[in-house]
Each structure stands twice: as C-alpha cells, then as structure tokens.
C-alpha cells in the first residue's frame, strides 16, 4: 500500500511553482510508473500515465490533479535585497516568512519586515503590499546580482508535519495531496478489471490559468474527466455555507461546469460504498482545471471532486488524511464499469 505521508513529504518538499514544475513532475512520474502501462512527460511538462483496459475502442477516463504550487519570482535586486512578484500567495503571510530561492543550489531567504515598534498604528492594521516587501538573502548587491538572476522562482520554505492525530500540515498540499489520491486510486484499481482506458495526469500551470490541463486533454482526447483539487476546509471564523468539514469526506461539485450524470454517479457510488461525501454548489467558474477541460476539443464530460483544506495558499496548509483516502476510494469506485454508463450518455 502506498504510504500517503511518505508520498506527501516527498512531493511537498520539492520547490515547483507554476512554470517550474519539473522537480515535482519527475517525482510524480517515478511514483506513477509502477501503476501504469506507460508514463510520459509532454511538451508543457504534464505527467501523463495510461493503463489500457485491452478492449478495442474503449472510452477514456482522465483523472487530473495539478502539480504546481503558488510562489514568487525575483524581479530585481536593491541594496542586496530581492524585489519580487507573487503568484497566488497570501500577502498577509509574507512578512518575516522563510522562503526558498530556487537557484542551483537553492538558498534560504527571509521576507524582510519592519518591527512593530517603528510602525504607525495605521500601518499595523493594513495587509502589506508586495511592492513594499523585500527578500533578505544575506548578500551584497554585487553577489546577489551574480547569483540570483531576474526570473528566479521562490517558494515558501515549510516543514511537512503531522497536526494532531489525523491532520497533515505543509506547503503545496494544494494540489499534490490530490495527486497522491490519484496514485492511491490507481493502486486500488491495479488488480481490478476496467472497461475504460484509465489516464492519470499531474498537470502544470493550474495556478496561472490551467494551460497544462487544457493541453493534456487536447492530446489525450478523453471521453470523461475528473478534476481533483482542494476546496476550503472549515475553521471557527469561516462562513459555514462556503466551507467544508474536515474529515467529512471528499466534496462533489455541482453546477454547470459538471456533467449531471457524472455528479449522480459519484454520489451513487459513494452511497453504495458507505463513503461520506459533501456537496459544493459551483454556479460559475470552479477555480479548478475542470473549468478548462470541459470545453476542450468538442467538449468533455467533466466532474470536480475536492478535498477540504484549511489555510489555502499558505505555507501551513492542513488537510485530513482520511479525506484523501476517501477521495481515492470514490475515484476507484467511479472508474469501475464506467464504460457501460458513460456510453449511455455519449
């Protein structure tokens, strides 16, 4: 059995922001290869594996989870401190935060901040803007310019750890935890007969618009897609109608981005197997790769399945290990005998 914590510690420990996913992609490829007939990296860097069912003309099911993480990009050096732009990071988390500058070899940086003693009362109440922040790497201007070119990516530096008995904490759980769920689903299906060709994709560039998933879908030409991503976990200060219970099971998306018969199939399979699920109404963009995949080629039947996650886009993302396992169990159940029902809705 694949060990979830070991997989996540490996994947989340890699620095792989959007556009720089190769370290995570190579690790994902290695983990996926024992479970598939064939695994490749495409031109954009997506990891795509296939397990063929052996039936002529079989339909294709694609399961997707993205491998990129939020991050920052160096835009210049000022007095030895790095200026940067941010992609998806919560700027409230940046002051005095440790970051990894993805040079070769990587180096440590800290986001500079003014101590509260010198801040005005007004400034203490405001979230900082990226334009006012610097990364301190402990170098002179000349040395920083030589060692850290403009365009160098940076990511949060964070340890992967347990939080209590059931929860896991670290960076990049969005969305590498869901790729781990895909690995587990493929493992569950390894000895089971399928009537569809199963594709598993670790996609790139989701945090910058979903280009990786769109390109992957156009190449694979699947009949059905499931975008597997995270959604917002519940905390005491969060709105109850927009967040989901940690440990309450995976979350099935419902809305115009999702094929109704696929939603029903997910819910029916969950009920039949005693898997707890939650429902999320997504009336507009789902904020996932499902939004892009649905309109690829001539249109793809698409579903969105999510894992509740607290503190999204921070270095301390938290999820419940059981939700990842239940997500994998539901995906495996969904895939079995899909060819029969999917043909009826083609």
């Amino acid at each position: 059995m694949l060990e979830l914590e070991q997989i996540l510690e490996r994947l989340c420990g890699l620095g792989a922001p959007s556009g720089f996913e190769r370290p995570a992609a190579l690790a994902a490829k290695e983990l996926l290869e024992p479970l598939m007939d064939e695994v490749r990296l495409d031109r954009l860097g997506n990891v795509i594996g296939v397990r063929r069912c052996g039936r002529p003309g079989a339909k294709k099911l694609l399961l997707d989870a993205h491998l990129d993480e939020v991050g920052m990009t160096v835009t210049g050096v000022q007095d030895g401190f790095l200026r940067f732009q941010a992609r998806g990071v919560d700027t409230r988390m940046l002051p005095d935060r440790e970051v990894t500058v993805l040079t070769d070899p990587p180096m440590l940086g800290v986001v500079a901040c003014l101590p509260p003693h010198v801040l005005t009362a007004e400034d203490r109440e405001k979230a900082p803007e990226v334009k006012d922040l610097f990364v301190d790497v402990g170098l002179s201007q000349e040395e920083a310019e030589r060692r850290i070119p403009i365009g160098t990516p940076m990511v949060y530096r964070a340890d992967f750890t347990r939080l209590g008995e059931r929860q896991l904490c670290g960076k990049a759980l969005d969305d590498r935890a869901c790729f781990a769920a895909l690995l587990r689903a493929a493992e569950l299906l390894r000895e089971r007969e399928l009537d569809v060709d199963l594709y598993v994709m670790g996609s790139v560039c989701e945090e910058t618009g979903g280009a990786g998933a769109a390109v992957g879908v156009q190449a694979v030409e699947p009949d059905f897609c499931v975008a597997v991503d995270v959604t917002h976990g519940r905390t005491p200060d969060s709105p109850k109608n927009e967040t989901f219970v940690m440990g309450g099971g995976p979350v099935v998306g419902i809305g115009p981005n999702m094929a109704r018969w696929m939603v029903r199939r997910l819910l029916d399979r969950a009920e039949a197997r005693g898997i707890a699920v939650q429902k999320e109404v997504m009336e507009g963009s789902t904020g996932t790769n499902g939004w892009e995949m649905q309109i690829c080629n001539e249109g793809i039947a698409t579903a969105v399945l999510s894992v509740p996650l607290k503190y999204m886009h921070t270095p301390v993302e938290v999820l419940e290990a059981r939700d990842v396992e239940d997500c994998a169990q539901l995906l495996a159940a969904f895939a079995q005998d899909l060819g029969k029902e999917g043909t009826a809705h083609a």
Side-chain angles (χ1 to χ4, degrees):
M1 176 177 173
L2 295 172
E3 294 296 333
L4 175 64
E5 289 189 47
Q6 294 177 8
I7 290 170
L8 288 181
E9 186 168 13
R10 179 180 179 187
L11 290 176
C12 295
L14 298 167
S18 303
F20 299 89
E21 296 94 344
R22 188 168 179 80
L26 292 176
K29 180 175 183 289
E30 182 180 329
L31 290 165
L32 188 58
E33 282 173 335
L35 304 169
M36 298 278 111
D37 296 326
E38 175 187 330
V39 182
R40 63 184 175 88
L41 295 179
D42 70 10
R43 292 178 183 174
L44 251 65
N46 295 312
V47 180
I48 302 176
V50 57
R51 178 194 155 188
R52 299 180 180 86
C53 68
R55 301 189 180 197
K59 299 285 188 179
K60 300 176 184 178
L61 167 65
L62 174 67
L63 307 179
D64 165 76
H66 68 88
L67 294 173
D68 57 319
E69 64 186 293
V70 298
M72 297 146 276
T73 305
V74 175
T75 59
V77 182
Q78 182 177 334
D79 299 326
F81 292 73
L82 307 182
R83 305 307 305 264
F84 62 93
Q85 291 181 355
R87 292 192 300 277
V89 301
D90 185 343
T91 59
R92 297 173 303 165
M93 302 295 295
L94 285 174
D96 69 24
R97 182 66 59 183
E98 292 182 340
V99 298
T100 301
V101 185
L102 297 176
T103 49
D104 186 16
M107 66 175 68
L108 174 67
V110 293
V111 182
C113 66
L114 289 172
H117 313 69
V118 297
L119 290 174
T120 66
E122 182 181 358
D123 286 339
R124 290 194 200 104
E125 299 299 321
K126 294 190 302 185
E129 296 185 48
V130 169
K131 67 180 179 63
D132 298 323
L133 296 173
F134 301 82
V135 172
D136 188 349
V137 287
L139 300 176
S140 67
Q141 178 74 15
E142 295 75 16
E143 190 71 2
E145 288 179 346
R146 183 179 69 82
R147 294 178 58 182
I148 308 173
I150 289 175
T152 300
M154 301 184 292
V155 295
Y156 289 128
R157 180 179 180 271
D159 294 327
F160 179 82
T161 186
R162 273 180 173 269
L163 194 65
E165 294 297 320
R166 302 183 306 275
Q167 298 187 354
L168 303 173
C169 176
K171 75 167 184 67
L173 288 169
D174 172 12
D175 188 36
R176 294 176 201 159
C178 292
F179 185 79
L182 303 193
L183 292 172
R184 175 66 175 142
E187 181 186 48
L188 291 168
L189 292 167
R190 185 162 47 183
E191 304 301 327
R192 301 181 190 177
E193 184 177 352
L194 297 176
D195 62 359
V196 294
D197 290 341
L198 175 67
Y199 286 80
V200 173
M201 179 164 66
S203 55
V204 300
C205 294
E206 189 272 347
E207 299 291 359
T208 54
V215 167
V217 167
Q218 289 174 34
V220 171
E221 296 184 313
D223 298 280
F224 333 103
C225 293
V226 182
V228 187
D229 211 326
V230 296
T231 190
H232 298 288
R234 186 160 300 165
T235 57
D237 57 343
S238 63
K240 300 298 183 286
N241 62 331
E242 297 177 12
T243 56
F244 300 89
V245 176
M246 306 294 293
V251 183
V252 178
I254 301 173
N257 192 196
M258 286 67 74
R260 290 189 296 277
W261 71 267
M262 292 182 73
V263 172
R264 286 197 303 271
R265 182 179 174 84
L266 283 168
L267 295 174
D268 289 346
R269 288 297 170 111
E271 183 178 7
R273 283 162 173 75
I275 302 170
V277 293
Q278 305 176 74
K279 301 175 185 178
E280 181 174 8
V281 175
M282 299 172 161
E283 280 300 318
S285 171
T286 62
T288 73
N289 279 334
W291 191 248
E292 306 296 324
M293 296 192 300
Q294 184 195 37
I295 58 172
C296 285
N297 300 329
E298 296 176 352
I300 311 294
T302 300
V304 175
L305 188 64
S306 306
V307 172
L309 177 101
K310 295 183 288 191
Y311 322 127
M312 193 181 299
H313 289 189
T314 76
V316 290
E317 295 177 334
V318 174
L319 53 71
E320 190 105 7
R322 185 68 213 177
D323 289 334
V324 179
E325 173 67 19
D326 286 346
C327 180
Q329 293 282 348
L330 182 52
L331 289 169
F334 180 85
Q336 289 186 271
D337 300 321
L338 177 61
K340 299 173 185 176
E341 182 168 347
T343 300
H345 294 276

